[in-house]
Amino acid sequence: EQVANGQIYRHRTASNRGRLAIEELASESKTIIKDYNNALNAPFEAYCEDQRQWAETDAVRDMEYEGDIAVKRFSAKYRSDLSQITRLVSLRTEAADHRWKLVARKINEPWMENGYWKLAKHTDRLHRRILLVRNRNFKSHEEASYELMLGREREKAQKYREERLRKIKEKKEQDLSDSLRGGRNVTFGDLNEEEKEGKEMNKVSSMVRVASKGIIPFAEYSIDDNEDVDDVDDLDDITLEPEDEDASQNTDGIESEVLSDPQNVDTHEWDQVKPEDYEHYQGEPEKETDINAWAKAFVWYEGEQLVHSFESVVLVTLQTTTDGILLLTTHGLYFHPTGDEINVMTKEMLSKPDDKNSKEQKDRRWRLSQLTEVHGRRYMLRAQALELFFADSHELFINFNGGTKERDKFYAKLRNSCKVPMLCSPKSLNPRTVFKRSNLTEQWRKRKISNFDYLMQLNIMAGRTFNDITQYPVFPWILADYTSKELDLNDTRVFRDLTKPVGALNPDRLSQLIERYHNLDGFPEEERFLYGSHYSSPGVVLHYLIRQEPFTTMAIELQSGRFDCPDRLFFDLAATWKSCLTSTSDVKELTPEFFTCPEILLNTCNFPLGETQSGIVVSNVNLPPWANGSPYEFVRMHRLALESEYVSQNLNHWVDLIFGYKQRGSNAAAAHNVFHYLSYEGSVDLDKITDEIDRRATESHIQNFGQTPSQLIVKEPHPTRSAAEDCWKPLCYEISCIKELRCHTPKKQFGGSQTHGAVISIHVLTESIVVIYSDFTVGTYKWSASRNGFSFKMDKMRIIGCRDSSMSSSAVFGGDCAPERAARKKSSSSRNGIDNNANNGKSVVGHWSFGMTLGGSTNDGLRRRAAIGTMRTSKAFEGSSGLMDASYLLLSCGYFDGTVKMHSIDGLRMKCSGSGGHRGAINCLKIGTDGGLMVTGGQDATCRVWVVDHSDMAIALTDGYVQTALATFNGETNENLLSCCHVLWGHEEAITCLDFSSDLDLVISGSVDGIVCIHSVRRGKFIRSIDMNESSLDRALHNRFDMHTPVRLLTLHSNGNFATHLEDGMLLLYTVNGAKLCSTDSGEKLNAMTICTGGEMLVTGGESCHVVIRSMRDLGVRCVLDLSNHGPIRCITLTPSSLNPAPQFMYIGTEDGKVTIVDRGPMQRKPLAEGEEEVPYWNVR
């Protein structure tokens, strides 16, 4: 640059030409680059301009809108799925917590303090309501006292009157002041208004005076159902909370916001897009899946599928109704409430929507594997309902709003598309058809079932149910004598005339009713009636059962929050019977509880029932003199009266009136058995009543004033019962027959004290008798009984093969073969100083260690065939009794390895063995009469419920959704012959004895510390415990030194009474509800004890070598059979009543290894030599 600026370089001046050339070159280069860049940018700018113009077209704008919609929908679906998963996890966590709480309560409940009790929600297998269960939500109802409420009403009316008078006075002064200021006079209209106010005050005062006299008319029925969570006592029958509606709304918020809110769409920039234009972006919005998503909160079986959804059903209970959706799947029933829980009488919601403390409606599920029976039912006189019965005693009443067709559709799909392995119900839902196809009447005529059982079955078939108070079962008045000191059931005068309805028993009252009937000129002929009230209605049921919950609460709500006037309450049985004979508005019959539950006559909870105008305090019901002031004696005599010969020969007439051909039509009119037409089925079609007021009035009448049962017999009269002489009778059916008892010991027998030891167990089969001896040999005898004599001959003698290898040494040799076990037993002692072994002096092995059954599956099959009652079935089973005997299974316990073993009686092959989770020895077992269930008691102070050879029952009674160490059930067929399904808690010491009644579904167990616990078997639930030490002979000693007397023997009858024998010789009689009836000192240690068929006689035998027959009324001795020649009594067995018409015998096993047979008088008489004593003729071989 210096050179270019003219400087001298090497004595020469530099030139500018080079610089200028460079500048010119640079300028040209810039021009070239600029032109090149312009050439490159022009196409891109043109492309961008083209793209900008293209982006502003409608097509591109629509694509952007669709994309935005799709992104938002996918985002909403993601949020919805995430919320749904979170909700399901939360629900299942809550369900698991709920199940754990139930388990914890089940374990802890036996040690909770006994509080108050109520009638059980569920009935037993014979549909009887006997049991009282714990009432965890007890209310004393002190605030509902009639006197207290009446005082409050007076006070309220007085305040109202004073307030009204004050307002009238103020208005009068204001009007006078206005008139003076305005110069106007008070008009007559104002005075008339004052007169109206005064008349209203007089009306209020009149109401107060009427209330004071206690003659307020009956209020409208009001029933409330506060069903607490404690009623959900089955681990499988869990309720889950419904879907949170707020959450569901939030998950769909974006979608609905975009699709439904036009304000979110810029109408100036975007055109409205129709839904079908973006249908392919909607994912999977299946409407049915969204509706039924609530059911997925439950754990479904593998392979479980939806069968059908019923959108409008009503779940009906004793006190409430709930509208909802019913889902039928292949394995279960799912119910989702869509409405509030409604009181069935007041039609009001049980909880207000704004009540924060109210319980939320919850979804429910019932497993179809437990379903045993389905019966068609009516609801509001319309045949559109079903009642489902489950194996665990639960019941479900469902009304289908869609009508009869929808109900029949449900039943058809249930039978054809669902897995219901235990369902045993006819295809028809028509009560008349079901009754006609059954052999129920024939069984009653042949005296195979009792009068009570027959009436209850008739009620069930005719639509009566314990789940609908408007259709409660109805039973007849039996007796007419409530004043005598003694009740002679052989005197026909003490009975009510069963050929007439209650309203026609009094001729004078009947003449008045007939006159009124003929004076009903304004009524059509089909609407005329003799009786405006009914023999069974909600008011009648609550009138009788007011002393026990939940009926106490319902009766209070019936009277608008208070008890009724004491003079109108049920407090005197004789007065109630008199009212039914004289009052023109009182024709009520009885309820089943009068024959089963004495507690309905006792105010056990001390409710404030008030005081009558004559000064009588209303508490327990006044009973007839012949009941001796005991409700238990009353129920016993009442039940005997129901089963008496007079009632047996005349009960068919009452059946004709209630269920038969005299229920309706001309026959009913001739029998003076005509009730209000709205009580009969088919008398009115509610769907055709267009006027809403008329419709509600009709529905109210149907609900509140009684409904007549379905007519089972239309044309012919009901057949009479066969004469007692021609039918089967128990061995000890009454006291007079005990004098006829005769004993005989067949000479030819396997046993003998020098051969096989004592007889420790006897089992009577169809054609054979199985005798087990103390050395564990099993002898079989063939037997048959006929008019020609009794055959008893030896058949086989075999040995239980595993007795030497696994039988405890204490049972076989009388000691312990295991040294460590012997040392433990010798050193172990309880706090009471008594040797704390399994049986405390009682033989380790006895009749309590053995049981025989055909197995649950075989017995269930026989019951189903018997229910069919067809000629072909009966012929197929003729002559098969021998094969049936060979199919019996022998179960035994007392083994050293702490197991229960099953052997086939044909060959004594061991089929299976199991401990059921017992920790230690199993001391005793008992098999139910149904043959499918067994209960064991162990050294570990627990009882276990087993299912014997009935996989369907095992699945039904266990939790099918979990796996345990005891059993695994996943809905598939299980081939296990022995399955443990429940553990029964409640004892603190070893179990010594137990007994189990299948009809009651109860097991009673006794322990070393003198405690007796009562559990339900199929549900595995603790009911109550009873301390027998309070009745011990050494009670004072026990209380002082904290010592206890072990329970030695227990025997339970299906009527709810059980006998207990203690180690100190005391014999006690209790009810399953914990009431002590009587006690006595037996004077010996008993080894065997059983209650005779009928429940009136107790047979005992022990170390005194005598069989003693006692009355169950007072445990007084009625007969003694001396068997001193044979040694102490080891076991006593009666011929099962299930073998009817085979005569009943008593089999006695003694120490000398002989079997003695007892019958009632000689079966065949032979010529007597002079001076020879008459004895039974036995054909002994």
Side-chain angles (χ1 to χ4, degrees):
E1 184 179 358
Q2 292 177 351
V3 173
N5 287 333
Q7 295 180 357
I8 297 175
Y9 176 71
R10 292 182 179 182
H11 308 287
R12 293 178 65 182
T13 303
S15 174
N16 293 332
R17 289 182 298 176
R19 181 177 64 80
L20 295 174
I22 291 173
E23 290 178 351
E24 183 179 357
L25 179 62
S27 176
E28 290 178 356
S29 297
K30 291 180 180 179
T31 302
I32 292 172
I33 292 172
K34 182 179 180 180
D35 293 341
Y36 179 76
N37 288 335
N38 290 336
L40 289 177
N41 290 336
F44 180 74
E45 290 177 356
Y47 172 78
C48 290
E49 180 64 21
D50 293 340
Q51 291 295 319
R52 186 185 65 79
Q53 294 178 359
W54 176 75
E56 293 178 354
T57 61
D58 293 341
V60 174
R61 200 166 56 181
D62 291 344
M63 291 176 63
E64 290 182 352
Y65 178 72
E66 292 176 358
D68 185 59
I69 292 293
V71 170
K72 290 181 177 181
R73 284 194 68 87
F74 289 145
S75 177
K77 188 176 185 303
Y78 169 77
R79 292 191 184 95
S80 176
D81 293 344
L82 183 62
S83 175
Q84 183 75 1
I85 293 173
T86 304
R87 187 182 69 86
L88 291 179
V89 171
S90 175
L91 287 177
R92 290 179 178 177
T93 303
E94 182 181 353
D97 292 340
H98 176 70
R99 294 167 65 88
W100 174 249
K101 290 178 181 178
L102 290 177
V103 172
R105 192 191 73 193
K106 182 177 180 180
I107 297 175
N108 296 328
E109 189 174 28
W111 292 273
M112 295 172 59
E113 182 180 356
N114 288 337
Y116 295 92
W117 305 87
K118 63 179 180 179
L119 281 175
K121 180 180 178 181
H122 309 292
T123 59
D124 60 17
R125 290 187 63 216
L126 299 180
H127 304 286
R128 300 173 302 178
R129 188 170 268 165
I130 296 178
L131 194 64
L132 298 181
V133 297
R134 195 189 304 271
N135 187 1
R136 297 181 179 86
N137 293 332
F138 172 75
K139 294 182 180 179
S140 62
H141 296 301
E142 293 290 343
E143 72 285 353
S145 170
Y146 180 78
E147 289 79 6
L148 180 62
M149 293 296 295
L150 196 61
R152 290 178 180 175
E153 289 181 3
R154 288 196 191 120
E155 184 179 349
K156 182 178 179 181
Q158 183 66 25
K159 289 182 179 180
Y160 178 74
R161 180 175 181 275
E162 292 176 355
E163 181 68 18
R164 295 279 289 176
L165 290 176
R166 186 185 62 80
K167 290 183 178 180
I168 291 173
K169 184 178 180 180
E170 290 178 356
K171 183 178 181 183
K172 183 177 180 180
E173 292 177 353
Q174 182 67 29
D175 291 343
L176 182 60
S177 176
D178 293 342
S179 64
L180 291 176
R181 285 198 305 268
R184 69 175 181 86
N185 297 324
V186 180
T187 63
F188 288 101
D190 295 331
L191 295 176
N192 292 336
E193 186 66 27
E194 284 187 27
E195 292 177 359
K196 293 179 181 178
E197 303 271 357
K199 289 182 178 179
E200 291 189 12
M201 291 299 98
N202 292 334
K203 185 177 180 180
V204 174
S205 301
S206 176
M207 290 177 62
V208 174
R209 288 194 298 271
V210 172
S212 301
K213 296 179 182 179
I215 53 174
I216 295 179
F218 269 77
E220 197 169 9
Y221 292 118
S222 175
I223 297 178
D224 188 18
D225 181 15
N226 295 321
E227 184 179 3
D228 51 48
V229 181
D230 294 328
D231 286 334
V232 187
D233 46 18
D234 190 297
L235 294 182
D236 179 63
D237 189 18
I238 304 172
T239 60
L240 295 179
E241 291 186 1
E243 183 178 352
D244 188 356
E245 294 185 2
D246 295 336
S248 63
Q249 291 175 1
N250 292 335
T251 56
D252 297 333
I254 297 177
E255 175 183 348
S256 59
E257 183 178 336
V258 172
L259 297 181
S260 61
D261 191 356
Q263 296 180 358
N264 294 322
V265 181
D266 190 352
T267 56
H268 298 287
E269 292 189 23
W270 305 98
D271 294 333
Q272 186 68 36
V273 182
K274 298 180 180 180
E276 55 267 19
D277 295 335
Y278 54 86
E279 186 177 1
H280 57 284
Y281 290 109
Q282 293 183 7
E284 299 177 356
E286 296 181 6
K287 182 178 180 181
E288 185 172 333
T289 304
D290 294 338
I291 292 177
N292 301 331
W294 54 269
K296 298 299 181 181
F298 296 90
V299 179
W300 284 34
Y301 277 109
E302 183 179 355
E304 183 174 1
Q305 297 179 353
L306 177 65
V307 175
H308 196 76
S309 175
F310 298 87
E311 303 297 329
S312 181
V313 301
V314 180
L315 185 63
V316 181
T317 66
L318 182 67
Q319 300 166 268
T320 63
T321 60
T322 307
D323 291 327
I325 299 173
L326 185 68
L327 242 62
L328 177 64
T329 70
T330 53
H331 292 74
L333 278 175
Y334 298 81
F335 179 78
H336 175 65
T338 57
D340 294 300
E341 202 170 13
I342 304 298
N343 189 297
V344 296
M345 306 305 286
T346 64
K347 303 300 181 184
E348 296 177 355
M349 293 184 296
L350 292 184
S351 58
K352 297 181 180 179
D354 56 350
D355 187 2
K356 296 181 180 180
N357 296 325
S358 62
K359 294 187 296 184
E360 296 184 7
Q361 291 292 315
K362 298 188 177 183
D363 305 331
R364 300 194 65 182
R365 173 186 61 189
W366 297 268
R367 292 189 293 161
L368 294 181
S369 61
Q370 297 179 333
L371 184 62
T372 57
E373 294 182 41
V374 178
H375 290 277
R377 290 288 181 259
R378 301 178 310 180
Y379 187 69
M380 300 294 293
L381 292 182
R382 292 183 287 191
Q384 59 182 33
L386 287 175
E387 188 169 21
L388 289 74
F389 297 87
F390 295 86
D392 60 352
S393 302
H394 277 81
E395 301 163 0
L396 180 62
F397 191 105
I398 305 174
N399 175 59
F400 294 84
N401 292 331
T404 306
K405 291 185 178 179
E406 187 173 5
R407 180 198 68 173
D408 295 344
K409 180 179 180 181
F410 170 86
Y411 188 52
K413 289 185 176 294
L414 178 70
R415 293 180 62 91
N416 300 326
S417 304
C418 301
K419 295 184 178 181
V420 283
M422 297 187 65
L423 180 63
C424 181
S425 288
K427 294 182 179 180
S428 176
L429 294 175
N430 185 291
R432 196 174 301 164
T433 303
V434 173
F435 174 75
K436 185 177 180 180
R437 293 180 179 177
S438 71
N439 62 346
L440 185 66
T441 301
E442 189 64 21
Q443 290 182 358
W444 174 76
R445 289 187 66 250
K446 294 181 178 180
R447 301 184 182 240
K448 292 187 175 183
I449 60 175
S450 65
N451 290 336
F452 179 91
D453 295 338
Y454 184 57
L455 289 177
M456 184 56 73
Q457 289 297 327
L458 289 178
N459 273 278
I460 297 299
M461 287 188 177
R464 312 303 282 189
T465 171
F466 290 97
N467 291 310
D468 185 1
I469 195 168
T470 66
Q471 302 183 83
Y472 207 80
V474 56
F475 268 63
W477 284 94
I478 295 298
L479 297 171
D481 184 0
Y482 296 95
T483 58
S484 301
K485 294 183 178 181
E486 298 291 337
L487 186 65
D488 184 7
L489 296 181
N490 294 320
D491 186 358
T492 59
R493 293 174 298 177
V494 304
F495 293 96
R496 164 254 179 113
D497 187 355
L498 292 170
T499 63
K500 300 177 182 178
V502 171
L505 293 176
N506 187 344
D508 296 334
R509 179 182 62 175
L510 180 61
S511 61
Q512 298 177 19
L513 295 173
I514 293 175
E515 182 180 357
R516 186 183 68 177
Y517 176 83
H518 292 300
N519 290 334
L520 296 176
D521 297 332
F523 289 81
E525 184 63 29
E526 63 275 7
E527 295 184 8
R528 291 188 177 188
F529 55 88
L530 272 175
Y531 316 110
S533 59
H534 204 264
Y535 50 76
S536 178
S537 66
V540 170
V541 176
L542 298 181
H543 179 73
Y544 285 138
L545 307 183
I546 189 174
R547 287 167 176 79
Q548 295 297 332
E549 292 284 14
F551 300 99
T552 307
T553 300
M554 298 167 66
I556 290 173
E557 296 196 356
L558 175 68
Q559 298 299 325
S560 303
R562 70 177 182 191
F563 285 104
D564 194 11
C565 172
D567 292 86
R568 285 199 298 267
L569 294 179
F570 171 53
F571 67 91
D572 188 279
L573 202 58
T576 302
W577 170 246
K578 182 179 179 181
S579 174
C580 291
L581 290 179
T582 57
S583 175
T584 57
S585 59
D586 189 357
V587 293
K588 56 180 175 286
E589 295 277 9
L590 298 180
T591 62
E593 287 78 8
F594 278 87
F595 303 90
T596 61
C597 187
E599 285 76 14
I600 67 168
L601 306 172
L602 293 173
N603 188 12
T604 55
C605 296
N606 296 318
F607 292 125
L609 301 179
E611 183 177 327
T612 65
Q613 295 180 2
S614 58
I616 301 175
V617 177
V618 179
S619 183
N620 299 335
V621 177
N622 295 331
L623 300 173
W626 48 260
N628 299 321
S630 170
Y632 305 97
E633 177 64 12
F634 170 80
V635 169
R636 188 187 75 86
M637 294 297 296
H638 206 208
R639 182 64 181 267
L640 287 177
L642 179 62
E643 305 299 336
S644 65
E645 189 60 27
Y646 174 84
V647 176
S648 296
Q649 295 301 321
N650 292 276
L651 187 60
N652 57 295
H653 301 299
W654 188 84
V655 172
D656 286 332
L657 294 171
I658 306 301
F659 306 103
Y661 79 109
K662 292 183 180 180
Q663 184 195 98
R664 308 181 68 168
S666 58
N667 293 319
H672 305 298
N673 192 38
V674 181
F675 294 87
H676 195 280
Y677 77 100
L678 286 180
S679 69
Y680 295 99
E681 181 180 5
S683 60
V684 62
D685 188 350
L686 294 174
D687 296 329
K688 293 183 179 180
I689 301 178
T690 57
D691 187 88
E692 185 66 21
I693 296 179
D694 291 344
R695 180 187 177 92
R696 290 186 178 181
T698 303
E699 290 179 348
S700 178
H701 190 284
I702 293 173
Q703 284 188 327
N704 298 328
F705 292 96
Q707 300 179 28
T708 304
S710 297
Q711 190 176 19
L712 300 179
I713 305 173
V714 179
K715 298 180 180 180
E716 67 279 357
H718 189 282
T720 59
R721 204 174 196 188
S722 301
E725 295 76 14
D726 301 331
C727 299
W728 180 87
K729 286 184 180 180
L731 180 65
C732 303
Y733 63 92
E734 59 184 14
I735 296 178
S736 60
C737 71
I738 296 180
K739 300 177 181 179
E740 303 176 1
L741 296 181
R742 313 276 180 105
C743 299
H744 178 68
T745 304
K747 294 181 179 180
K748 295 182 179 180
Q749 298 189 37
F750 292 116
S753 58
Q754 302 299 325
T755 54
H756 303 292
V759 175
I760 59 176
S761 185
I762 301 175
H763 304 273
V764 182
L765 310 183
T766 308
E767 291 184 348
S768 59
I769 298 174
V770 178
V771 179
I772 303 175
Y773 299 90
S774 59
D775 66 344
F776 274 74
T777 55
V778 179
T780 305
Y781 297 85
K782 292 294 184 180
W783 78 278
S784 63
S786 64
R787 294 181 179 179
N788 297 325
F790 182 90
S791 175
F792 186 87
K793 64 178 182 179
M794 297 184 295
D795 183 25
K796 298 177 182 178
M797 173 65 79
R798 287 158 296 178
I799 301 175
I800 297 179
C802 61
R803 79 182 195 279
D804 294 328
S805 59
S806 62
M807 173 59 62
S808 65
S809 56
S810 60
V812 179
F813 306 109
D816 278 297
C817 64
E820 65 277 11
R821 175 170 178 152
R824 285 198 303 268
K825 279 195 173 184
K826 185 175 181 179
S827 61
S828 65
S829 61
S830 63
R831 61 180 179 272
N832 56 19
I834 298 175
D835 184 20
N836 192 21
N837 58 27
N839 294 276
N840 284 276
K842 186 174 70 172
S843 299
V844 177
V845 176
H847 58 86
W848 49 84
S849 305
F850 300 91
M852 293 195 68
T853 176
L854 281 170
S857 298
T858 304
N859 275 290
D860 190 43
L862 292 176
R863 282 194 299 271
R864 295 191 183 207
R865 293 185 180 98
I868 298 174
T870 60
M871 183 64 67
R872 181 171 57 182
T873 303
S874 61
K875 288 183 178 180
F877 277 84
E878 288 180 359
S880 62
S881 55
L883 296 176
M884 190 183 303
D885 286 356
S887 303
Y888 271 86
L889 303 172
L890 173 65
L891 292 107
S892 55
C893 68
Y895 295 92
F896 183 80
D897 54 2
T899 60
V900 173
K901 300 188 184 299
M902 177 189 291
H903 295 81
S904 63
I905 198 63
D906 184 20
L908 290 181
R909 295 182 299 275
M910 191 177 78
K911 306 190 72 172
C912 69
S913 174
S915 67
H918 276 293
R919 296 179 179 271
I922 299 177
N923 298 331
C924 49
L925 64 82
K926 183 68 176 183
I927 301 176
T929 55
D930 60 357
L933 293 176
M934 176 182 67
V935 183
T936 58
Q939 191 73 17
D940 58 356
T942 66
C943 294
R944 312 267 168 157
V945 179
W946 304 66
V947 178
V948 182
D949 189 22
H950 200 329
S951 58
D952 294 332
M953 177 70 76
I955 294 173
L957 297 187
T958 53
D959 190 347
Y961 305 95
V962 299
Q963 295 181 354
T964 68
L966 304 181
T968 302
F969 302 109
N970 56 3
E972 303 297 332
T973 302
N974 191 336
E975 298 299 334
N976 291 339
L977 296 177
L978 283 176
S979 304
C980 182
C981 58
H982 291 307
V983 179
L984 309 181
W985 305 89
H987 289 283
E988 298 180 5
E989 299 287 346
I991 309 297
T992 58
C993 55
L994 59 82
D995 200 7
F996 167 33
S997 172
S998 297
D999 292 338
L1000 287 172
D1001 192 37
L1002 293 178
V1003 59
I1004 56 174
S1005 54
S1007 58
V1008 171
D1009 56 358
I1011 301 296
V1012 171
C1013 289
I1014 303 175
H1015 293 81
S1016 65
V1017 177
R1018 293 174 182 252
R1019 299 163 67 195
K1021 180 183 176 184
F1022 173 84
I1023 305 298
R1024 68 168 72 235
S1025 62
I1026 306 172
D1027 188 357
M1028 296 295 168
N1029 294 289
E1030 297 181 359
S1031 302
S1032 173
L1033 288 174
D1034 300 326
R1035 178 180 177 183
L1037 183 63
H1038 293 329
N1039 293 339
R1040 182 177 179 182
F1041 297 102
D1042 193 23
M1043 299 174 65
H1044 303 286
T1045 303
V1047 180
R1048 184 176 178 88
L1049 291 176
L1050 287 169
T1051 180
L1052 173 64
H1053 192 265
S1054 61
N1055 63 8
N1057 296 338
F1058 69 91
T1060 306
H1061 177 57
L1062 305 181
E1063 282 289 341
D1064 61 2
M1066 282 297 294
L1067 191 60
L1068 308 105
L1069 189 61
Y1070 276 82
T1071 71
V1072 292
N1073 291 323
K1076 181 181 176 181
L1077 300 181
C1078 57
S1079 63
T1080 187
D1081 183 6
S1082 64
E1084 61 172 326
K1085 286 190 175 182
L1086 302 179
N1087 297 322
M1089 184 169 63
T1090 185
I1091 300 176
C1092 295
T1093 306
E1096 289 301 309
M1097 298 294 169
L1098 175 68
V1099 183
T1100 63
E1103 298 299 324
S1104 67
C1105 309
H1106 292 84
V1107 174
V1108 181
I1109 301 178
R1110 301 174 181 267
S1111 170
M1112 287 288 285
R1113 177 181 180 181
D1114 54 6
L1115 293 180
V1117 177
R1118 298 293 183 265
C1119 180
V1120 177
L1121 303 178
D1122 187 359
L1123 299 179
S1124 301
N1125 295 332
H1126 301 287
I1129 310 300
R1130 293 303 177 198
C1131 60
I1132 300 174
T1133 303
L1134 293 168
T1135 305
S1137 58
S1138 58
L1139 296 182
N1140 181 357
Q1144 188 174 63
F1145 299 96
M1146 183 190 303
Y1147 301 88
I1148 304 169
T1150 50
E1151 185 70 24
D1152 63 349
K1154 297 293 184 179
V1155 176
T1156 300
I1157 305 172
V1158 180
D1159 81 327
R1160 188 177 60 251
M1163 299 185 63
Q1164 178 180 350
R1165 303 181 186 274
K1166 63 178 181 179
L1168 299 178
E1170 183 177 356
E1172 183 179 0
E1173 183 181 358
E1174 182 182 30
V1175 295
Y1177 174 70
W1178 298 86
N1179 182 15
V1180 183
R1181 302 176 185 176

